[in-house]
Each structure stands twice: as C-alpha cells, then as structure tokens.
C-alpha cells in the first residue's frame, strides 16, 4: 500500500510552482503500552472532569483557552483560529537559497519526503536537478496540522526532502549553559584527547547503531509471556573517576589493547584464521550468555556482542 500523504500543496519560488505531496521520512520503533486493571486486564479509561465543580463535563462544554494572566483566560473558537489564517496553508514558499552546511543542526526537528503530484513530474525533476547543480537548500515557511513552521528543502538521493525547522527564537543559545570562562587546556591533555578521538574515527554507518533498550525490553516481554522469571542485572561497581590525564591514558590503552587482540586472530600473512564460528554457533553462545536482542543480530553483531560479554 502506498504511503498516505500528510500534506498536499505546491513549492513556490519566483513564478515557478511545483505541485507536490509530503510524506513522513521516518518512523519510530516504539513499544506501545496500555494501562489496565491488574486483576482482570480491564482497560483504564479517563473522564474529563471540571476541577472546580468536581464532575464530568461533556465535549460540547469544553473550549480552548489561553491563560493571559494567572486565572484569567481568553476563550478561542474555531472561527478565531480560521481568522488567524497565514500564508503557507498549501504552499511552501521558498524565500532564500542557502548552503546547507551553514545551517546549525539544532534547528532541525523532523524530516519529510516530498514527491510530485500526478502530472507534475517534469517541474519536479527540473527543481531537483537545479537544486543539485546549485548545491543550495531552499528556506521557506509552511503550515502543517494548524501550525506554521520554517522549512528547509534540499535534495537527498535524488529526492526532495523537507526538514521541519524551529524558528530562531525557539532555539536556545548554547552559551547560556556555560560558566563565564572555560579553563585552559594543557597541551599534553589536548594531544591525548585528539589521539583518543582519532582512534575512534571512521565513516558514518547508521545501521551500526541499534536501540538496545527496546531490544532488551522486547526480550523481557517475551520471557514473561513464556512464564520465565525476569531478574534485574546487578549494577556494576564503579571505580572512583581517575584524573583527566589518567582517564585519557587508560582509554587509549584499552583501544590499543583491543586492536592487539584482534591482530592475534590473524596468522603471519595477515589473513583471518581458517576456523571461524558459524552464525548458529554464535547464536548458541549468545543464548548461553543471555544477550538481549540476539535473534535480530547479524553474524558480525553476534560476534561482537559475544566477545563483549565474555
């Protein structure tokens, strides 16, 4: 089934108008929970109660109100919200084109995919090609679900992507959380810090990162469904934190030690040993070690998880 469009309208800049549809670009893997009555699993319901009269209130007696001062409310009707109509209800009006790398990521809130409406493929393709060649992103405002947003339109893998953004007065300046002056950094500490960061450097691989909390919670749900007891893992005893230089040294030693252990798994000419555990053997070992989420792991992920747990 084709995804349902969240918004239908057009992209406008100058005299150019491109009819488009907007779709969500992400979906979160959330576990949904229900509140139930423990003895009989009956669903828990809620009533809308007037706290002054302490009695239930029907929907036709409920209105939206803005508190202008403590205890003083201004009631708003549907007509009031319609009277506040702003441009952008069905148009993404691009006002500027800017280098994408100049935008602070703190401004980005949510990503959407933008596709052409039927019959608008040609102007859509033209806009994609022109934006690709320019290397710039379009900035404009749009309205979604009754609220106006700032948007950044860019090309991602040959498709227009709309980044919902915060307005400037919604983004807090990072300097507000810092003390008046940061302490100076010693040269040796800086060298060790740079070496440690470099030792972790690599290419961006989004598939490498997993929601391990969700995996662990899913495993617990499965265990409880099968009637197994769930025991909380003991918290590891934490050593008192070493000073900064010592922490940097230890971290580098751990990274270098890990590389040394990996190199022992190779023979003299640098090729991997012939005998490697199969995925089935790794799954069996992961089961013995009670590693959560093992059923969804690849062979490499299983090997890494087993090595970390042993």
């Amino acid at each position: 089934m084709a995804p349902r469009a969240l918004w239908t309208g057009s992209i406008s800049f100058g005299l150019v108008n491109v009819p488009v549809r907007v779709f969500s670009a992400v979906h979160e893997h959330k576990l949904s929970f229900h509140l139930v009555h423990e003895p009989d699993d009956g669903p828990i319901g809620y009533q809308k109660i007037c706290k002054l009269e302490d009695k239930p209130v029907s929907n036709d007696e409920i209105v939206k109100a803005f508190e202008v001062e403590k205890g003083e409310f201004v009631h708003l009707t549907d007509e009031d919200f319609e009277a506040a109509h702003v441009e952008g209800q069905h148009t993404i009006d691009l006002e500027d084109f800017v280098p994408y790398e100049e935008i602070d990521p703190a401004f980005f809130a949510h990503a959407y995919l933008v596709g052409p409406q039927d019959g608008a493929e040609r102007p859509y393709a033209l806009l994609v090609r022109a934006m690709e060649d320019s290397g710039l992103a379009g900035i404009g405002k749009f309205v979604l679900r009754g609220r106006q947003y700032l948007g950044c339109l860019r090309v991602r893998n040959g498709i227009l992507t709309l980044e919902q953004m915060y307005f400037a007065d919604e983004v807090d300046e990072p300097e507000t959380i810092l003390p008046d002056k940061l302490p100076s950094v010693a040269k040796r500490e800086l060298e060790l810090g740079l070496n440690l960061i470099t030792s972790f450097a690599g290419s961006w691989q989004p598939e490498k990162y997993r929601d391990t909390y969700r995996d662990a919670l899913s495993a617990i749900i499965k265990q409880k469904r099968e009637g197994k007891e769930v025991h909380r893992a003991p918290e590891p005893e934490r050593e008192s934190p070493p000073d900064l230089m010592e922490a940097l040294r230890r971290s580098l030693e751990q990274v270098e030690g890990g590389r040394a252990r990996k190199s022992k798994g190779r023979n003299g000419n640098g090729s991997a040993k012939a005998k490697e555990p199969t995925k089935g053997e790794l799954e069996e070992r992961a089961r013995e070690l009670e590693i959560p989420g093992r059923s969804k792991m690849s062979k490499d992920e299983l090997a890494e998880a087993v090595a970390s747990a042993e």
Side-chain angles (χ1 to χ4, degrees), residues 34-227:
H34 301 269
L35 294 178
V36 298
H37 187 210
E38 186 177 14
D40 55 16
D41 282 350
I44 301 298
Y46 294 92
Q47 288 183 315
K48 296 175 181 178
I49 304 292
C50 174
K51 294 183 178 180
L52 292 179
E53 299 178 352
D54 194 25
K55 68 177 185 180
V57 178
S58 61
N59 287 334
D60 58 1
E61 292 183 331
I62 299 174
V63 298
K64 291 182 179 179
F66 183 82
E67 189 173 18
V68 291
E69 292 183 13
K70 185 66 175 179
E72 182 182 345
F73 295 90
V74 174
H75 293 189
L76 295 172
T77 65
D78 291 340
E79 290 75 17
D80 294 325
F81 286 101
E82 291 174 4
H85 172 82
V86 293
E87 295 181 4
Q89 292 281 1
H90 298 287
T91 306
I92 304 171
D93 192 5
L94 301 180
E95 302 175 23
D96 300 286
F97 285 86
V98 303
Y100 182 73
E101 59 273 12
E102 289 185 3
I103 304 173
D104 187 336
F107 280 83
F108 296 131
H110 193 84
Y112 299 95
L113 296 176
V114 181
Q117 292 190 38
D118 296 338
E121 292 82 4
R122 185 175 180 82
Y124 179 92
L126 171 62
L127 180 57
V128 169
R129 179 62 186 274
M131 290 185 66
E132 281 184 324
D133 289 355
S134 72
L136 299 176
I139 304 296
K141 289 179 285 189
F142 67 101
V143 174
L144 180 66
R145 299 189 180 104
R147 181 180 171 186
Q148 187 181 61
Y149 295 98
L150 188 64
C152 171
L153 191 73
R154 66 185 181 97
V155 179
R156 172 172 166 255
N157 297 330
I159 299 173
L160 291 178
T161 299
L162 177 65
E163 302 274 5
Q164 176 188 311
M165 302 174 69
Y166 298 107
F167 288 100
D169 58 357
E170 295 178 303
V171 179
D172 295 329
E173 292 295 330
E175 292 82 1
T176 58
I177 67 167
L178 295 177
D180 293 338
K181 184 179 180 181
L182 288 176
S184 59
V185 178
K187 183 178 179 181
R188 180 55 181 159
E189 290 177 347
L190 180 58
E191 290 176 354
L192 288 172
L194 287 172
N195 288 338
L196 181 59
I197 290 174
T198 303
S199 68
F200 283 96
S203 58
W204 165 237
Q205 301 176 34
E207 66 280 356
K208 174 183 176 182
Y209 308 98
R210 295 181 58 87
D211 185 350
T212 54
Y213 175 74
R214 178 182 178 275
D215 290 343
L217 202 55
S218 296
I220 288 173
I221 292 171
K222 182 179 179 182
Q223 290 174 28
K224 299 199 75 170
R225 186 180 184 187
E226 295 172 350

